[in-house]
mmCIF file of all heavy atoms in Angstrom:
data_model
loop_
_atom_site.group_PDB
_atom_site.id
_atom_site.type_symbol
_atom_site.label_atom_id
_atom_site.label_comp_id
_atom_site.label_asym_id
_atom_site.label_seq_id
_atom_site.Cartn_x
_atom_site.Cartn_y
_atom_site.Cartn_z
ATOM 1 N N PRO A 1 5.146 2.883 -22.069
ATOM 2 C CA PRO A 1 3.725 2.876 -22.241
ATOM 3 C C PRO A 1 3.097 3.938 -21.487
ATOM 4 O O PRO A 1 3.626 4.577 -20.576
ATOM 5 C CB PRO A 1 3.385 1.476 -21.828
ATOM 6 C CG PRO A 1 4.398 1.136 -20.672
ATOM 7 C CD PRO A 1 5.646 1.818 -21.146
ATOM 8 N N GLY A 2 1.764 4.102 -21.695
ATOM 9 C CA GLY A 2 0.950 4.991 -20.873
ATOM 10 C C GLY A 2 1.026 6.533 -21.213
ATOM 11 O O GLY A 2 0.573 7.344 -20.467
ATOM 12 N N LEU A 3 1.596 6.824 -22.356
ATOM 13 C CA LEU A 3 1.600 8.270 -22.752
ATOM 14 C C LEU A 3 0.231 8.646 -23.224
ATOM 15 O O LEU A 3 -0.664 7.852 -23.230
ATOM 16 C CB LEU A 3 2.684 8.523 -23.766
ATOM 17 C CG LEU A 3 4.203 8.345 -23.350
ATOM 18 C CD1 LEU A 3 4.999 8.554 -24.605
ATOM 19 C CD2 LEU A 3 4.438 9.286 -22.212
ATOM 20 N N LEU A 4 0.065 9.947 -23.564
ATOM 21 C CA LEU A 4 -1.300 10.370 -24.037
ATOM 22 C C LEU A 4 -1.848 9.552 -25.076
ATOM 23 O O LEU A 4 -1.086 9.288 -26.045
ATOM 24 C CB LEU A 4 -1.279 11.778 -24.370
ATOM 25 C CG LEU A 4 -1.102 12.834 -23.328
ATOM 26 C CD1 LEU A 4 -0.967 14.279 -23.898
ATOM 27 C CD2 LEU A 4 -2.193 12.801 -22.288
ATOM 28 N N PRO A 5 -3.027 9.047 -25.008
ATOM 29 C CA PRO A 5 -3.716 8.260 -26.099
ATOM 30 C C PRO A 5 -3.996 9.117 -27.291
ATOM 31 O O PRO A 5 -4.034 10.341 -27.209
ATOM 32 C CB PRO A 5 -4.929 7.714 -25.461
ATOM 33 C CG PRO A 5 -5.326 8.736 -24.411
ATOM 34 C CD PRO A 5 -3.994 9.241 -23.904
ATOM 35 N N GLU A 6 -4.267 8.447 -28.362
ATOM 36 C CA GLU A 6 -4.630 9.180 -29.559
ATOM 37 C C GLU A 6 -5.763 10.082 -29.520
ATOM 38 O O GLU A 6 -5.817 11.132 -30.095
ATOM 39 C CB GLU A 6 -4.841 8.121 -30.740
ATOM 40 C CG GLU A 6 -3.636 7.601 -31.461
ATOM 41 C CD GLU A 6 -2.862 8.664 -32.253
ATOM 42 O OE1 GLU A 6 -3.498 9.420 -32.929
ATOM 43 O OE2 GLU A 6 -1.604 8.773 -31.999
ATOM 44 N N GLY A 7 -6.771 9.715 -28.689
ATOM 45 C CA GLY A 7 -7.963 10.460 -28.608
ATOM 46 C C GLY A 7 -7.838 11.645 -27.539
ATOM 47 O O GLY A 7 -8.836 12.234 -27.284
ATOM 48 N N ALA A 8 -6.784 11.896 -26.976
ATOM 49 C CA ALA A 8 -6.576 12.883 -26.039
ATOM 50 C C ALA A 8 -6.891 14.172 -26.605
ATOM 51 O O ALA A 8 -6.682 14.508 -27.750
ATOM 52 C CB ALA A 8 -5.227 13.038 -25.390
ATOM 53 N N PRO A 9 -7.613 15.006 -25.876
ATOM 54 C CA PRO A 9 -8.103 16.391 -26.274
ATOM 55 C C PRO A 9 -6.867 17.295 -26.682
ATOM 56 O O PRO A 9 -5.723 17.168 -26.191
ATOM 57 C CB PRO A 9 -8.892 17.002 -25.199
ATOM 58 C CG PRO A 9 -8.348 16.338 -23.967
ATOM 59 C CD PRO A 9 -8.018 14.945 -24.432
ATOM 60 N N LEU A 10 -7.131 18.203 -27.579
ATOM 61 C CA LEU A 10 -6.147 19.241 -28.076
ATOM 62 C C LEU A 10 -5.628 19.955 -26.910
ATOM 63 O O LEU A 10 -6.362 20.486 -26.011
ATOM 64 C CB LEU A 10 -6.752 20.195 -29.111
ATOM 65 C CG LEU A 10 -5.719 21.127 -29.818
ATOM 66 C CD1 LEU A 10 -4.962 20.307 -30.763
ATOM 67 C CD2 LEU A 10 -6.558 22.182 -30.580
ATOM 68 N N GLY A 11 -4.259 20.071 -26.753
ATOM 69 C CA GLY A 11 -3.643 20.621 -25.670
ATOM 70 C C GLY A 11 -3.739 19.972 -24.315
ATOM 71 O O GLY A 11 -3.679 20.559 -23.192
ATOM 72 N N ALA A 12 -3.872 18.661 -24.399
ATOM 73 C CA ALA A 12 -4.077 17.847 -23.128
ATOM 74 C C ALA A 12 -2.926 18.070 -22.208
ATOM 75 O O ALA A 12 -1.787 18.295 -22.636
ATOM 76 C CB ALA A 12 -4.235 16.450 -23.494
ATOM 77 N N ASP A 13 -3.162 17.794 -20.924
ATOM 78 C CA ASP A 13 -2.118 17.971 -19.986
ATOM 79 C C ASP A 13 -1.108 16.819 -19.946
ATOM 80 O O ASP A 13 -1.150 15.897 -20.740
ATOM 81 C CB ASP A 13 -2.715 17.976 -18.531
ATOM 82 C CG ASP A 13 -1.794 18.719 -17.458
ATOM 83 O OD1 ASP A 13 -0.732 19.093 -17.940
ATOM 84 O OD2 ASP A 13 -2.301 18.934 -16.389
ATOM 85 N N ARG A 14 -0.044 16.906 -19.051
ATOM 86 C CA ARG A 14 1.013 15.928 -19.052
ATOM 87 C C ARG A 14 0.595 14.468 -19.036
ATOM 88 O O ARG A 14 -0.359 14.160 -18.356
ATOM 89 C CB ARG A 14 1.929 16.256 -17.911
ATOM 90 C CG ARG A 14 1.270 16.134 -16.616
ATOM 91 C CD ARG A 14 2.234 16.396 -15.420
ATOM 92 N NE ARG A 14 3.360 15.407 -15.450
ATOM 93 C CZ ARG A 14 4.395 15.460 -14.679
ATOM 94 N NH1 ARG A 14 4.571 16.522 -13.971
ATOM 95 N NH2 ARG A 14 5.353 14.482 -14.756
ATOM 96 N N PRO A 15 1.340 13.628 -19.707
ATOM 97 C CA PRO A 15 0.960 12.217 -19.647
ATOM 98 C C PRO A 15 1.273 11.632 -18.213
ATOM 99 O O PRO A 15 2.097 12.171 -17.622
ATOM 100 C CB PRO A 15 1.810 11.598 -20.729
ATOM 101 C CG PRO A 15 3.017 12.471 -20.888
ATOM 102 C CD PRO A 15 2.466 13.942 -20.586
ATOM 103 N N PRO A 16 0.530 10.618 -17.911
ATOM 104 C CA PRO A 16 0.773 10.063 -16.472
ATOM 105 C C PRO A 16 1.934 9.321 -16.299
ATOM 106 O O PRO A 16 2.501 9.166 -15.117
ATOM 107 C CB PRO A 16 -0.449 9.145 -16.415
ATOM 108 C CG PRO A 16 -0.826 8.709 -17.754
ATOM 109 C CD PRO A 16 -0.494 9.860 -18.643
ATOM 110 N N LEU A 17 2.631 8.818 -17.333
ATOM 111 C CA LEU A 17 3.870 7.979 -17.209
ATOM 112 C C LEU A 17 4.753 8.353 -18.145
ATOM 113 O O LEU A 17 4.512 8.569 -19.355
ATOM 114 C CB LEU A 17 3.522 6.507 -17.355
ATOM 115 C CG LEU A 17 4.607 5.562 -17.201
ATOM 116 C CD1 LEU A 17 5.267 5.544 -15.771
ATOM 117 C CD2 LEU A 17 4.084 4.075 -17.530
ATOM 118 N N ILE A 18 6.088 8.555 -17.905
ATOM 119 C CA ILE A 18 7.090 8.896 -18.803
ATOM 120 C C ILE A 18 8.093 7.814 -19.191
ATOM 121 O O ILE A 18 8.233 7.569 -20.386
ATOM 122 C CB ILE A 18 7.856 10.100 -18.229
ATOM 123 C CG1 ILE A 18 6.981 11.153 -17.833
ATOM 124 C CG2 ILE A 18 8.966 10.611 -19.278
ATOM 125 C CD1 ILE A 18 5.968 11.539 -18.919
ATOM 126 N N SER A 19 8.539 7.047 -18.261
ATOM 127 C CA SER A 19 9.416 5.902 -18.617
ATOM 128 C C SER A 19 9.282 4.944 -17.500
ATOM 129 O O SER A 19 8.810 5.184 -16.416
ATOM 130 C CB SER A 19 10.827 6.375 -18.904
ATOM 131 O OG SER A 19 11.486 6.533 -17.646
ATOM 132 N N ASP A 20 9.796 3.788 -17.753
ATOM 133 C CA ASP A 20 9.725 2.704 -16.780
ATOM 134 C C ASP A 20 10.812 2.928 -15.622
ATOM 135 O O ASP A 20 10.757 2.246 -14.590
ATOM 136 C CB ASP A 20 9.900 1.257 -17.445
ATOM 137 C CG ASP A 20 8.699 0.882 -18.021
ATOM 138 O OD1 ASP A 20 7.555 1.383 -17.731
ATOM 139 O OD2 ASP A 20 8.821 -0.010 -18.973
ATOM 140 N N ASP A 21 11.816 3.696 -15.905
ATOM 141 C CA ASP A 21 12.826 3.737 -14.838
ATOM 142 C C ASP A 21 13.262 5.239 -14.567
ATOM 143 O O ASP A 21 14.162 5.411 -13.752
ATOM 144 C CB ASP A 21 14.068 3.013 -15.235
ATOM 145 C CG ASP A 21 14.705 3.556 -16.533
ATOM 146 O OD1 ASP A 21 14.067 4.433 -17.162
ATOM 147 O OD2 ASP A 21 15.883 3.190 -16.798
ATOM 148 N N LEU A 22 12.641 6.191 -15.213
ATOM 149 C CA LEU A 22 13.017 7.615 -14.974
ATOM 150 C C LEU A 22 11.923 8.477 -15.152
ATOM 151 O O LEU A 22 11.227 8.475 -16.180
ATOM 152 C CB LEU A 22 14.199 8.025 -15.881
ATOM 153 C CG LEU A 22 14.577 9.440 -15.818
ATOM 154 C CD1 LEU A 22 15.140 9.799 -14.503
ATOM 155 C CD2 LEU A 22 15.690 9.724 -16.890
ATOM 156 N N LEU A 23 11.531 9.243 -14.141
ATOM 157 C CA LEU A 23 10.453 10.250 -14.259
ATOM 158 C C LEU A 23 10.985 11.593 -13.709
ATOM 159 O O LEU A 23 11.392 11.546 -12.539
ATOM 160 C CB LEU A 23 9.224 9.722 -13.436
ATOM 161 C CG LEU A 23 8.045 10.749 -13.316
ATOM 162 C CD1 LEU A 23 7.467 10.831 -14.761
ATOM 163 C CD2 LEU A 23 6.962 10.289 -12.411
ATOM 164 N N LEU A 24 10.985 12.606 -14.486
ATOM 165 C CA LEU A 24 11.413 13.874 -14.105
ATOM 166 C C LEU A 24 10.203 14.654 -13.621
ATOM 167 O O LEU A 24 9.354 14.999 -14.446
ATOM 168 C CB LEU A 24 12.173 14.632 -15.249
ATOM 169 C CG LEU A 24 13.293 13.708 -15.822
ATOM 170 C CD1 LEU A 24 13.871 14.496 -17.061
ATOM 171 C CD2 LEU A 24 14.303 13.380 -14.806
ATOM 172 N N THR A 25 10.066 14.954 -12.343
ATOM 173 C CA THR A 25 8.837 15.347 -11.854
ATOM 174 C C THR A 25 8.633 16.868 -11.532
ATOM 175 O O THR A 25 7.527 17.402 -11.483
ATOM 176 C CB THR A 25 8.611 14.711 -10.464
ATOM 177 O OG1 THR A 25 9.715 14.980 -9.577
ATOM 178 C CG2 THR A 25 8.444 13.232 -10.628
ATOM 179 N N ASP A 26 9.766 17.506 -11.365
ATOM 180 C CA ASP A 26 9.653 19.012 -11.247
ATOM 181 C C ASP A 26 10.963 19.670 -11.683
ATOM 182 O O ASP A 26 11.930 19.020 -12.103
ATOM 183 C CB ASP A 26 9.395 19.386 -9.828
ATOM 184 C CG ASP A 26 10.307 18.962 -8.811
ATOM 185 O OD1 ASP A 26 11.588 19.092 -9.076
ATOM 186 O OD2 ASP A 26 9.979 18.425 -7.761
ATOM 187 N N GLU A 27 10.940 21.059 -11.746
ATOM 188 C CA GLU A 27 12.023 21.747 -12.316
ATOM 189 C C GLU A 27 13.335 21.541 -11.562
ATOM 190 O O GLU A 27 14.463 21.871 -11.969
ATOM 191 C CB GLU A 27 11.750 23.216 -12.452
ATOM 192 C CG GLU A 27 11.466 23.896 -11.117
ATOM 193 C CD GLU A 27 10.976 25.388 -11.399
ATOM 194 O OE1 GLU A 27 10.610 25.642 -12.557
ATOM 195 O OE2 GLU A 27 10.894 26.102 -10.398
ATOM 196 N N ARG A 28 13.271 21.033 -10.303
ATOM 197 C CA ARG A 28 14.485 20.805 -9.548
ATOM 198 C C ARG A 28 15.317 19.629 -10.036
ATOM 199 O O ARG A 28 16.474 19.587 -9.795
ATOM 200 C CB ARG A 28 14.158 20.467 -7.993
ATOM 201 C CG ARG A 28 13.399 21.719 -7.304
ATOM 202 C CD ARG A 28 13.123 21.286 -5.899
ATOM 203 N NE ARG A 28 12.171 20.167 -5.937
ATOM 204 C CZ ARG A 28 11.879 19.417 -4.860
ATOM 205 N NH1 ARG A 28 12.432 19.651 -3.713
ATOM 206 N NH2 ARG A 28 10.927 18.470 -5.061
ATOM 207 N N VAL A 29 14.699 18.834 -10.896
ATOM 208 C CA VAL A 29 15.435 17.697 -11.415
ATOM 209 C C VAL A 29 16.544 18.174 -12.172
ATOM 210 O O VAL A 29 17.636 17.535 -12.106
ATOM 211 C CB VAL A 29 14.449 16.882 -12.328
ATOM 212 C CG1 VAL A 29 15.231 15.751 -13.005
ATOM 213 C CG2 VAL A 29 13.322 16.298 -11.490
ATOM 214 N N GLY A 30 16.510 19.316 -12.979
ATOM 215 C CA GLY A 30 17.601 19.634 -13.685
ATOM 216 C C GLY A 30 18.723 20.057 -12.905
ATOM 217 O O GLY A 30 19.960 19.973 -13.353
ATOM 218 N N ARG A 31 18.602 20.453 -11.659
ATOM 219 C CA ARG A 31 19.697 20.869 -10.767
ATOM 220 C C ARG A 31 20.211 19.722 -9.879
ATOM 221 O O ARG A 31 21.341 19.630 -9.567
ATOM 222 C CB ARG A 31 19.278 22.137 -9.920
ATOM 223 C CG ARG A 31 18.843 23.350 -10.728
ATOM 224 C CD ARG A 31 18.654 24.487 -9.827
ATOM 225 N NE ARG A 31 17.565 24.263 -8.943
ATOM 226 C CZ ARG A 31 16.290 24.580 -9.191
ATOM 227 N NH1 ARG A 31 15.935 25.077 -10.461
ATOM 228 N NH2 ARG A 31 15.344 24.359 -8.341
ATOM 229 N N GLU A 32 19.245 18.904 -9.547
ATOM 230 C CA GLU A 32 19.593 17.831 -8.383
ATOM 231 C C GLU A 32 19.601 16.396 -8.960
ATOM 232 O O GLU A 32 19.988 15.527 -8.280
ATOM 233 C CB GLU A 32 18.611 17.920 -7.277
ATOM 234 C CG GLU A 32 18.617 19.478 -6.614
ATOM 235 C CD GLU A 32 17.442 19.552 -5.666
ATOM 236 O OE1 GLU A 32 16.852 18.484 -5.353
ATOM 237 O OE2 GLU A 32 17.258 20.703 -5.294
ATOM 238 N N GLY A 33 19.083 16.223 -10.186
ATOM 239 C CA GLY A 33 19.113 14.862 -10.716
ATOM 240 C C GLY A 33 18.153 13.975 -10.023
ATOM 241 O O GLY A 33 18.384 12.743 -9.884
ATOM 242 N N LEU A 34 16.945 14.491 -9.527
ATOM 243 C CA LEU A 34 16.103 13.596 -8.716
ATOM 244 C C LEU A 34 15.413 12.589 -9.719
ATOM 245 O O LEU A 34 15.066 12.883 -10.821
ATOM 246 C CB LEU A 34 15.002 14.507 -8.059
ATOM 247 C CG LEU A 34 15.458 15.535 -7.159
ATOM 248 C CD1 LEU A 34 14.375 16.302 -6.551
ATOM 249 C CD2 LEU A 34 16.318 14.896 -5.945
ATOM 250 N N LYS A 35 15.192 11.395 -9.148
ATOM 251 C CA LYS A 35 14.575 10.293 -9.864
ATOM 252 C C LYS A 35 13.318 9.781 -9.069
ATOM 253 O O LYS A 35 13.394 9.773 -7.846
ATOM 254 C CB LYS A 35 15.509 9.206 -10.243
ATOM 255 C CG LYS A 35 16.615 9.618 -11.154
ATOM 256 C CD LYS A 35 17.375 8.440 -11.514
ATOM 257 C CE LYS A 35 18.463 8.777 -12.529
ATOM 258 N NZ LYS A 35 19.288 7.547 -12.944
#
């Protein structure tokens, strides 16, 4: 839940929540698997 709502403006920024158990927060995640 909590992704961008239908009324979000065109080109809106990142949604506040990605999943209930995994959030990839920066580009280091791809190398270090940070959660």
